[in-house]
Amino acid sequence: MNQIMTGYYNWIKIFSYLSPDDIFSCDHVCQQFRNILSSNYDQIKVIFEDYTYKSLYHLNWYTNRIKLIKIQRINIMDYDALLSDSEIEYMIEGLELKSLKIINCKFKFKPYILEKLIHLEELELGTKCIKQDQLSYFSNVKQLSIQPEKFKLSLGLLYLKNLVSLQIRSIKLDYYSLIKLLEQNYNTLQQLYLEAEQFDRYKMNKIISSLNPEILTAIHLFYFEDYHDEHIYQLTNFKKLNDIQIRKAEVQNSFSYVKFLQFKSFLKVNFEQCDQFDDQCLDILTSSSPQLVYVNIAWTQCTNEPVQRLFLNCLQLKEVNLAGMKQLNDNCFPQEDNWNRILKKCKALSFNKCNNVSDYILKKLKSQKLYIVIVNYHDVEM
């Protein structure tokens, strides 16, 4: 019996590495595979979380399967809007979903479906999927990501009072509506991802002031290019920040960054095109955040030695972007006898526009780290 169960779990592990299309093929191989893929083990449910439309036959098979195993999380990726409203509704109807992601250009929620999604804790929707007043159905949602054509104050927003994570991608984002939403989630909001192109520095001061410095862990302000010292000083008070995007900041000197980076421990940072982000800043970041997994310091002025220390000290790195750093050369890498212990988890490494980093050294690194996508000066993968 133990041997049978061991074989069963081994197959589950193998299936977990396959794409949904491959799973579809495996399900039609034999009865044993079909039984395994019909079980409601958590590992099997994870396999069925992502769905991309391939055919009507594939859709029917997938829909029946997720209802059979009672899946609680689903990501429907339908960029070409091939699925009809009724097909999506049938797919999610009857499931007690905790997480729902729908990327579909045409789909619109109907009230009777919304009423059955009261258990949702995570919700991510494309452009036109929902009207803002319908957000009142999602008072239990803790993680919300929406892409409305317009974002303004509505009755539905008043029900969103327990958000932990908020992402809004809209070029027509009403400032006062945003402030209202942030203020009513002051005691819970830990992550903010915001398309902020239309805001000036003074409105950004108010946005940052509407966030709780005691609990916020992540802030990404997409397309906001009016960062100044005052914003960096404001963020200095956010002691739990471990994920930040600061892009094209026009600070007067590196002292703002030094003060901001001190006594913090980061997982992800983006300081792309921040002119005053220098060697001292990178050394503070490297020493205080050995668990870093993502670093983007493209087009900054950091030199070889601090970058070398980044590779040596941060052994959890998964993605590093050093594009445009023309001051770097082959010496930005540690000695070759250290290569076996660095970049073990790295998936992507970019030296685009780094004309002094030779293809020779990148090819040599690639020969030892076959799993890394390495991009050279010409933006070509090695």
Side-chain angles (χ1 to χ4, degrees):
M1 184 65 178
N2 289 336
Q3 289 181 336
I4 294 174
M5 294 306 296
T6 300
Y8 194 90
Y9 291 127
N10 285 340
W11 278 118
I12 291 178
K13 187 173 182 179
I14 292 170
F15 289 146
S16 69
Y17 289 100
L18 302 181
S19 69
D21 285 345
D22 293 329
I23 293 296
F24 175 72
S25 300
C26 290
D27 189 67
H28 293 78
V29 169
C30 64
Q31 185 64 44
Q32 182 186 8
F33 282 8
R34 193 171 298 116
N35 290 340
I36 294 172
L37 292 170
S38 298
S39 60
N40 63 351
Y41 285 97
D42 288 341
Q43 299 95 319
I44 293 296
K45 290 182 178 181
V46 170
I47 293 172
F48 286 92
E49 285 181 5
D50 295 316
Y51 176 76
T52 303
Y53 183 85
K54 296 296 179 183
S55 67
L56 184 60
Y57 182 59
H58 186 276
L59 170 66
N60 291 334
W61 167 80
Y62 178 83
T63 300
N64 291 332
R65 189 52 50 86
I66 64 173
K67 288 179 180 293
L68 179 66
I69 64 177
K70 298 180 180 179
I71 198 169
Q72 293 185 314
R73 308 172 62 90
I74 185 171
N75 304 321
I76 303 173
M77 314 302 291
D78 185 28
Y79 293 103
D80 297 322
L82 299 173
L83 290 168
S84 68
D85 282 10
S86 60
E87 287 169 334
I88 293 179
E89 288 166 5
Y90 180 68
M91 188 185 295
I92 63 180
E93 189 177 8
L95 296 173
E96 291 190 4
L97 291 173
K98 291 186 177 180
S99 175
L100 175 62
K101 176 178 180 180
I102 300 180
I103 304 301
N104 177 286
C105 297
K106 297 189 302 183
F107 178 69
K108 290 183 174 63
F109 275 109
K110 292 184 176 63
Y112 86 95
I113 288 293
L114 291 170
E115 291 170 359
K116 297 178 180 180
L117 295 174
I118 58 173
H119 300 288
L120 273 183
E121 296 177 0
E122 301 175 25
L123 178 65
E124 180 173 347
L125 299 175
T127 307
K128 300 178 181 179
C129 290
I130 194 168
K131 298 177 182 177
Q132 282 186 217
D133 284 339
Q134 292 177 323
L135 289 172
S136 60
Y137 287 95
F138 301 116
S139 58
N140 292 323
V141 165
K142 292 181 173 58
Q143 298 183 39
L144 177 66
S145 176
I146 52 178
Q147 302 176 37
E149 291 182 314
K150 295 181 180 180
F151 183 88
K152 58 183 179 180
L153 194 62
S154 66
L155 182 62
L157 291 180
L158 300 178
Y159 289 85
L160 301 175
K161 296 182 178 180
N162 298 295
L163 292 176
V164 174
S165 177
L166 173 64
Q167 177 169 327
I168 307 177
R169 305 299 294 266
S170 173
I171 59 173
K172 296 181 180 179
L173 179 56
D174 180 67
Y175 167 70
Y176 297 103
S177 301
L178 174 64
I179 294 299
K180 174 67 176 175
L181 185 59
L182 295 178
E183 288 177 345
Q184 69 187 32
N185 288 279
Y186 182 83
N187 292 320
T188 58
L189 192 67
Q190 298 175 25
Q191 301 172 345
L192 178 65
Y193 307 93
L194 191 65
E195 199 159 296
E197 183 178 13
Q198 68 269 46
F199 300 131
D200 59 28
R201 70 171 74 174
Y202 307 106
K203 288 183 177 179
M204 187 52 64
N205 284 340
K206 177 60 176 174
I207 290 172
I208 295 175
S209 298
S210 301
L211 301 170
N212 190 334
E214 299 300 323
I215 64 174
L216 195 78
T217 61
I219 181 168
H220 285 214
L221 302 173
F222 302 101
Y223 309 120
F224 180 66
E225 298 179 357
D226 199 22
Y227 267 113
H228 284 73
D229 293 84
E230 59 208 83
H231 303 125
I232 309 301
Y233 285 132
Q234 274 185 291
L235 291 170
T236 298
N237 297 320
F238 291 72
K239 302 300 183 184
K240 293 187 178 181
L241 268 182
N242 59 38
D243 180 0
I244 189 164
Q245 174 177 284
I246 296 178
R247 189 171 178 270
K248 288 188 176 180
E250 297 180 3
V251 301
Q252 297 301 311
N253 55 62
S254 62
F255 180 73
S256 300
Y257 294 128
V258 170
K259 188 173 180 181
F260 166 70
L261 290 168
Q262 286 177 332
F263 313 115
K264 293 187 181 68
S265 186
F266 289 94
L267 293 173
K268 300 178 182 179
V269 296
N270 184 341
F271 290 100
E272 182 178 344
Q273 299 185 56
C274 294
D275 290 341
Q276 300 299 329
F277 190 89
D278 57 16
D279 288 352
Q280 183 185 10
C281 299
L282 183 55
D283 275 334
I284 292 173
L285 176 65
T286 300
S287 60
S288 64
S289 307
Q291 74 283 11
L292 272 171
V293 296
Y294 173 83
V295 176
N296 183 349
I297 52 173
W299 304 95
T300 63
Q301 300 305 311
C302 300
T303 58
N304 285 325
E305 290 187 9
V307 171
Q308 187 179 119
R309 287 191 284 272
L310 171 70
F311 288 134
L312 285 170
N313 295 336
C314 300
L315 302 179
Q316 306 299 314
L317 287 170
K318 293 183 179 179
E319 186 173 346
V320 182
N321 187 354
L322 303 173
M325 299 175 67
K326 299 182 179 182
Q327 67 277 15
L328 298 183
N329 56 40
D330 292 357
N331 293 323
C332 70
F333 289 103
Q335 293 294 321
E336 193 171 346
D337 56 1
N338 286 306
W339 283 14
N340 65 328
R341 74 179 190 90
I342 67 170
L343 301 174
K344 284 186 175 182
K345 297 186 177 182
C346 193
K347 303 297 182 184
L349 186 59
S350 176
F351 287 93
N352 183 25
K353 304 302 180 186
C354 297
N355 51 312
N356 291 317
V357 178
S358 69
D359 279 2
Y360 170 77
I361 195 75
L362 295 182
K363 287 178 180 177
K364 201 169 184 179
L365 179 65
K366 179 69 175 181
S367 68
Q368 294 192 28
K369 310 284 185 180
L370 298 175
Y371 49 85
I372 304 180
V373 175
I374 301 177
V375 174
N376 71 359
Y377 167 76
H378 299 286
D379 199 21
V380 174
E381 183 180 338
M382 302 300 294

